[in-house]
Amino acid sequence: MECINFDEQFEQYESEWIHEHAAEYGNSVERMEEEMPALYEEWLHQPADWLDGVAPCMYFERYDDAFMLCEWMEEYFQQNVPVPDLLLDRITELGEDAERALMRILRDETAPEEAVLTTISLLTELESRGPMNLYLQWILQREKNDDRADKAAEALVSMGGEVPAKALELYDGASDDAQETLLDVLCNFPGNGKTYELVMERFQREKEHIAFFASLLGKLGDERAIPALTRAMQESGINYLDYIELRNAIEALGGDAPAERDFSGDPYYESLSRMQ
């Protein structure tokens, strides 16, 4: 399976077009950029010598073996060649066959991480619920910085259904990092009193993560959190970034934040002020 760099081919096509038409547009970059979507469509449907006369839009359409196409995608990642959107589009067009092939990648511990992250996105696009339990296991096993677990959490949010009940069931036995991720998922399903209690307990206990848990309280939409958020906002030791997140949470819940405080000398405040 040859991993052709489609991005590189379009960039060459684009560069040649710009060179030929620059004078027509008065060398206006903005005006030429407006033509790019149409130029891309033209490139997609134009037979290409570098594809033996096949138009780019038809190159992957010739194949209907989902497992082969998914292996091709992995090969692109292994060779560090940009994966064509056309290949990804063809995979998702194959529906249930693609879902089975993509699940194989998720279960392959040797698969390139970027291939796994892309696979999660494709399964989300397919609205697959098949990987739900696997995603939850990844969260339970997560490391401190774990892109796979973070991506799995995003995918779980889109599933709904049994996700909140399963996440709550796993919460007590999870590590602190896994619990934070589970709560981040659960806060997308407001109305559960247990979730509110868990987030509020962490909010009041873990001052070093107060901004994160404040944002979760804001997402939950439970107005009972406003007094605790207000008290935290008035504490003398908070930094400017925590203060802003607390204020945002209060306003998201329909409350009125206390009057603006003076944060002169706070490094976050000073840094943001210089950027304005």
Side-chain angles (χ1 to χ4, degrees):
M1 295 176 287
E2 185 180 2
C3 294
I4 300 170
N5 192 329
F6 280 66
D7 289 356
E8 186 176 77
Q9 291 293 336
F10 176 68
E11 287 169 6
Q12 181 179 336
Y13 187 83
E14 177 187 46
S15 177
E16 291 172 357
W17 181 89
I18 289 173
H19 179 74
E20 292 173 7
H21 296 84
E24 299 173 29
Y25 290 85
N27 291 312
S28 170
V29 174
E30 292 78 9
R31 289 180 58 206
M32 284 189 284
E33 284 179 347
E34 292 175 358
E35 298 297 327
M36 289 305 107
L39 185 68
Y40 182 69
E41 283 298 313
E42 177 184 290
W43 173 80
L44 279 179
H45 293 87
Q46 189 172 106
D49 292 341
W50 50 277
L51 292 178
D52 296 326
V54 178
C57 68
M58 295 303 299
Y59 186 71
F60 296 106
E61 294 292 323
R62 302 176 299 168
Y63 305 99
D64 57 10
D65 184 334
F67 283 88
M68 183 274 286
L69 289 167
C70 286
E71 289 176 0
W72 205 345
M73 176 185 74
E74 287 188 87
E75 187 67 21
Y76 265 95
F77 282 114
Q78 289 167 350
Q79 294 191 23
N80 200 30
V81 178
V83 182
D85 289 339
L86 295 165
L87 172 55
L88 302 181
D89 291 343
R90 181 55 183 157
I91 290 173
T92 56
E93 285 173 4
L94 296 176
E96 292 182 6
D97 287 345
E99 185 175 349
R100 287 190 289 270
L102 291 165
M103 286 297 298
R104 181 197 61 76
I105 295 176
L106 292 189
R107 297 189 183 103
D108 181 2
E109 292 295 330
T110 66
E113 183 181 41
E114 286 302 317
V116 172
L117 298 180
T118 299
T119 295
I120 296 172
S121 295
L122 296 179
L123 285 165
T124 300
E125 187 176 339
L126 287 167
E127 299 182 353
S128 172
R129 301 176 63 79
M132 180 189 298
N133 291 329
L134 182 58
Y135 290 167
L136 287 166
Q137 286 303 310
W138 286 352
I139 290 172
L140 293 181
Q141 299 163 2
R142 73 162 301 143
E143 299 177 355
K144 192 70 177 178
N145 298 308
D146 192 331
D147 291 339
R148 185 182 70 167
D150 291 337
K151 191 75 172 179
E154 294 175 14
L156 285 169
V157 170
S158 70
M159 289 183 188
E162 302 173 15
V163 168
K166 285 180 175 288
L168 282 170
E169 183 180 336
L170 296 169
Y171 183 84
D172 287 339
S175 67
D176 281 352
D177 289 336
Q179 285 183 346
E180 287 188 14
T181 306
L182 290 172
L183 290 177
D184 200 10
V185 171
L186 285 164
C187 283
N188 291 276
F189 307 98
N192 188 303
K194 180 63 174 176
T195 300
Y196 173 80
E197 292 172 8
L198 292 171
V199 177
M200 180 56 73
E201 189 274 329
R202 297 288 293 269
F203 171 78
Q204 294 176 325
R205 173 164 56 90
E206 300 185 31
K207 299 301 182 183
E208 67 276 17
H209 296 150
I210 197 169
F212 173 71
F213 292 112
S215 70
L216 297 189
L217 289 169
K219 285 168 64 176
L220 273 174
D222 194 321
E223 296 177 0
R224 290 180 296 167
I226 293 176
L229 290 163
T230 303
R231 287 193 297 272
M233 196 174 176
Q234 294 171 326
E235 291 181 4
S236 59
I238 66 169
N239 63 54
Y240 185 65
L241 293 185
D242 289 347
Y243 176 86
I244 293 299
E245 201 62 63
L246 289 162
R247 185 184 68 188
N248 291 342
I250 291 171
E251 292 175 350
L253 295 173
D256 295 320
E260 186 80 17
R261 288 167 50 179
D262 181 11
F263 277 91
S264 299
D266 180 284
Y268 299 115
Y269 177 81
E270 298 294 344
S271 176
L272 289 171
S273 296
R274 286 194 294 271
M275 294 171 61
Q276 294 176 356

